[in-house]
Amino acid sequence: MLLIDCPHCGPRDETEFHYGGQAHVAYPADPHALSDREWAEFLFYRDNDRGLYAERWSHSLGCRKWFNAIRDTVTYDFTAIYPMGQARPDTAEAAPQASAIAEADPQPHPTAGFEGAVR
Amino acid sequence: MADQLPEHPDFLWRNPEPKKSYEAVIIGGGGHGLATAYYLAKDHGMTNIAILERGWLAGGNMARNTTIIRSNYLWDESAAMYEKSLKLWEQLPEELDYDFLFSQRGVLNLAHTLQDVRESQRRVNANALNGVDAEWLDPEQVKEVCPIINIGDDLRYPVMGGTYQPRAGIAKHDHVAWAFARKCDEMGVDIIQNCEVTGIERIGDKVVGVETNRGNIATEKVAMCVAGDSSVLADMAGIRLPIQSHPLQALVSELFEPVHPTVVMSNHVHVYVSQAHKGELVMGAGVDSYNGYGQRGGFHVIEEQLAAAVELFPIFARAHVLRTWGGIVDVTLDASPIVSKTEVAGLYANCGWGTGGFKGTPAAGFTFAHTIANDEPHPLNAPYALDRFETGHLIDEHGAAAVAH
């Protein structure tokens, strides 16, 4: 079971969370302008990365708030947790391996960016 | 010591070096890749072909599934595909000259709510119209088919009946792979293990070959049968698939004398159980929620399916879990597979079978081989083309046939 660090409530069991799939998939600015192919891409095509992946989680049995996370889809390790609406952090994007980062360059707490969040 | 050992049994296939070129290359030496090669050689006379397997033959999902075979799907397209598969299963032991313990012991899909009952009865009627054997059983009849089920009203979700497909069953999956492999090899197919594809070569919008850790291979037809890693492989060819990879777990108990005569599936409390020939109780449930390639999942998923199993089968309370494992399955948004040409000429995709690929092995091979050989889909897999996500002709088996395949 994953231990997920909810930015508002702290680390909780995976069973308290709902998975929201790929993060940063914006609703099309003008849906009527899309071709069938583009509409299919929006509805049915999602990235399926092997390695670091930006995804959404909701603490559905806790504070019920959504947040973004960067997680490795092979090791299942979380490298970053950041608020909805914030761009994907660069550090996680550039890093090839979660474990490699931890050894080489200590990262800020994964919930950095949630200053003032009640824990 | 060595002189006391019995003779090593004959190998069932050669281990050839890859040639410089083939008429077609199949990526993935699991059930679907083997079945595809078998039907390409047998039905379409294409024997100058190779199966490239990154690890060892049938070491991926073909060794990890719970071996359930059935065809009682709701929608016409699904019933046609899976019923074709079941009919092929019925003739394959003789055709492949290999007794892989295909056992038509039936499958029960239990109903636990009024909604379940209505959906199940609708599915039985749809199956009847499609020539698929199916019947509705009341709780007493369920008990007759499978005496160890608790049909009392002391359950949180009592058994209100179930659908029964007598021709469904199980088979021994590793033997199925070996049976296909031996026949493919006899017909001249090169089965190349420990050969990882590292790139797919294109000139313009045409495939011209594959790069592997054992050299480049020229070919004009590349067929992908790599459930779990389909997106990663497709990315090498520069295309995107509407697939998400998820971990799916299963487990077995220690060996028992025969207690469970059929296959029982329950979507509502979410577990499926059969008893293997050797005696293990084999169980599975749904996928882990998140995208994953790690071939493992969360223990709470195992815990939930065991809770469901023990409630349905009180005698299982004394059984022990011997082993749990995970595989990675391809999930599409409509829970139906993709057996299709792609936007790249000569590149074919067989993927997205989700949690139900094993039962589809023969039909996947049969229709995919037709698609590769003729560069046109067979009528059975025409609805399973990639363009259904653009046209909207989805085959929505999510919740229709049975969530668990």
Side-chain angles (χ1 to χ4, degrees):
Chain A
M1 182 172 330
L2 304 180
L3 185 64
I4 303 175
D5 200 358
C6 171
H8 308 285
C9 311
R12 298 293 171 90
D13 283 347
E14 176 192 339
T15 45
E16 294 186 15
F17 293 83
H18 178 79
Y19 185 61
Q22 186 185 349
H24 311 300
V25 181
Y27 189 77
D30 181 7
H32 295 287
L34 299 188
S35 66
D36 286 353
R37 170 73 200 182
E38 288 164 336
W39 187 239
E41 289 265 347
F42 171 67
L43 285 181
F44 301 116
Y45 285 69
R46 293 290 179 271
D47 291 344
N48 191 21
D49 300 339
R50 189 185 174 101
L52 295 181
Y53 189 55
E55 60 192 16
R56 302 176 302 174
W57 289 87
S58 156
H59 192 189
S60 49
L61 297 184
C63 61
R64 299 184 54 76
K65 286 184 177 140
W66 285 90
F67 56 92
N68 289 325
I70 306 280
R71 187 180 54 93
D72 189 306
T73 57
V74 180
T75 64
Y76 304 165
D77 289 337
F78 285 88
T79 18
I81 287 175
Y82 55 103
M84 300 300 284
Q86 183 174 305
R88 178 175 170 151
D90 287 344
T91 46
E93 206 166 45
Q97 283 285 329
S99 52
I101 306 168
E103 283 159 19
D105 176 23
Q107 291 291 294
H109 188 267
T111 58
F114 280 97
E115 279 83 12
V118 178
R119 302 299 300 266
Chain B
M1 184 66 195
D3 57 333
Q4 292 171 22
L5 293 171
E7 291 260 321
H8 193 285
D10 289 340
F11 287 98
L12 298 181
W13 59 89
R14 300 162 292 132
N15 279 300
E17 283 299 312
K19 292 195 272 187
K20 290 278 172 238
S21 73
Y22 288 97
E23 196 178 348
V25 163
I26 294 160
I27 305 173
H32 285 214
L34 288 161
T36 301
Y38 171 71
Y39 287 108
L40 272 176
K42 175 178 151 291
D43 291 353
H44 305 283
M46 288 173 64
T47 53
N48 181 26
I49 61 176
I51 299 171
L52 308 183
E53 167 54 49
R54 175 169 70 176
W56 60 86
L57 187 123
N61 292 339
M62 191 60 172
R64 295 162 198 260
N65 60 71
T66 50
T67 81
I68 297 170
I69 295 167
R70 63 187 181 89
S71 64
N72 55 349
Y73 281 67
L74 176 69
W75 301 114
D76 293 350
E77 298 87 347
S78 313
M81 180 69 115
Y82 290 103
E83 178 59 20
K84 173 68 181 178
S85 210
L86 182 49
K87 289 203 165 77
L88 291 172
W89 279 114
E90 286 171 332
Q91 69 193 53
L92 276 172
E94 193 179 329
E95 200 175 301
L96 300 176
D97 189 24
Y98 199 124
D99 178 12
F100 50 71
L101 303 179
F102 177 46
S103 163
Q104 292 178 286
R105 56 184 63 188
V107 62
L108 268 171
N109 292 83
L110 300 180
H112 301 272
T113 65
L114 188 57
Q115 180 67 18
D116 270 359
V117 171
R118 288 172 177 156
E119 281 175 6
S120 301
Q121 291 176 342
R122 177 191 179 201
R123 182 160 47 77
V124 165
N125 292 330
N127 288 162
L129 290 171
N130 278 318
V132 174
D133 58 320
E135 50 198 288
W136 169 254
L137 305 185
D138 65 28
E140 292 300 326
Q141 292 169 312
V142 166
K143 185 92 178 163
E144 261 171 55
V145 171
C146 189
I148 57 173
I149 293 188
N150 179 7
I151 57 165
D153 59 4
D154 56 336
L155 301 184
R156 172 65 183 84
Y157 296 104
V159 174
M160 296 175 71
T163 69
Y164 187 53
Q165 183 182 20
R167 285 164 61 242
I170 57 172
K172 203 159 163 52
H173 47 202
D174 42 1
H175 287 239
V176 173
W178 301 340
F180 274 123
R182 183 178 65 171
K183 264 297 191 256
C184 285
D185 184 79
E186 279 173 16
M187 291 189 287
V189 176
D190 280 359
I191 297 170
I192 302 163
Q193 301 177 91
N194 301 309
C195 182
E196 179 170 0
V197 170
T198 53
I200 296 177
E201 296 168 10
R202 281 172 61 168
I203 293 181
D205 62 355
K206 247 177 86 50
V207 159
V208 293
V210 294
E211 295 161 10
T212 79
N213 60 348
R214 293 170 66 177
N216 293 0
I217 298 171
T219 184
E220 291 182 351
K221 288 174 188 278
V222 172
M224 304 188 287
C225 293
V226 294
D229 272 320
S230 299
S231 300
V232 176
L233 188 62
D235 188 51
M236 292 181 193
I239 67 165
R240 216 173 167 213
L241 295 171
I243 291 217
Q244 300 281 280
S245 296
H246 286 268
L248 175 67
Q249 302 182 78
L251 65 96
V252 290
S253 72
E254 71 268 54
L255 310 185
F256 292 107
E257 64 193 63
V259 291
H260 184 14
T262 182
V263 180
V264 171
M265 308 179 65
S266 167
N267 292 328
H268 197 78
V269 300
H270 219 172
V271 69
Y272 38 92
V273 190
S274 67
Q275 188 170 18
H277 293 84
K278 227 167 25 168
E280 311 104 309
L281 298 166
V282 184
M283 295 180 214
V287 298
D288 280 66
S289 68
Y290 47 79
N291 287 27
Y293 286 92
Q295 290 188 318
R296 64 198 165 82
F299 196 72
H300 63 281
V301 176
I302 300 285
E303 194 179 358
E304 281 160 19
Q305 76 192 51
L306 280 175
V310 169
E311 191 164 65
L312 279 176
F313 304 95
I315 63 166
F316 290 1
R318 297 285 176 160
H320 298 95
V321 171
L322 191 69
R323 200 164 69 242
T324 76
W325 63 91
I328 301 303
V329 297
D330 288 352
V331 178
T332 57
L333 266 290
D334 63 354
S336 286
I338 294 161
V339 185
S340 176
K341 298 169 66 172
T342 68
E343 64 206 59
V344 179
L347 181 69
Y348 304 91
N350 170 54
C351 55
W353 287 81
T355 61
F358 177 70
K359 74 173 75 66
T361 300
F366 177 82
T367 57
F368 200 36
H370 185 282
T371 309
I372 297 160
N374 301 298
D375 201 35
E376 280 300 328
H378 186 277
L380 282 173
N381 69 310
Y384 293 90
L386 269 167
D387 68 5
R388 74 175 186 269
F389 297 98
E390 286 167 49
T391 62
H393 291 103
L394 302 178
I395 306 165
D396 185 13
E397 286 294 347
H398 251 312
V403 179
H405 287 277

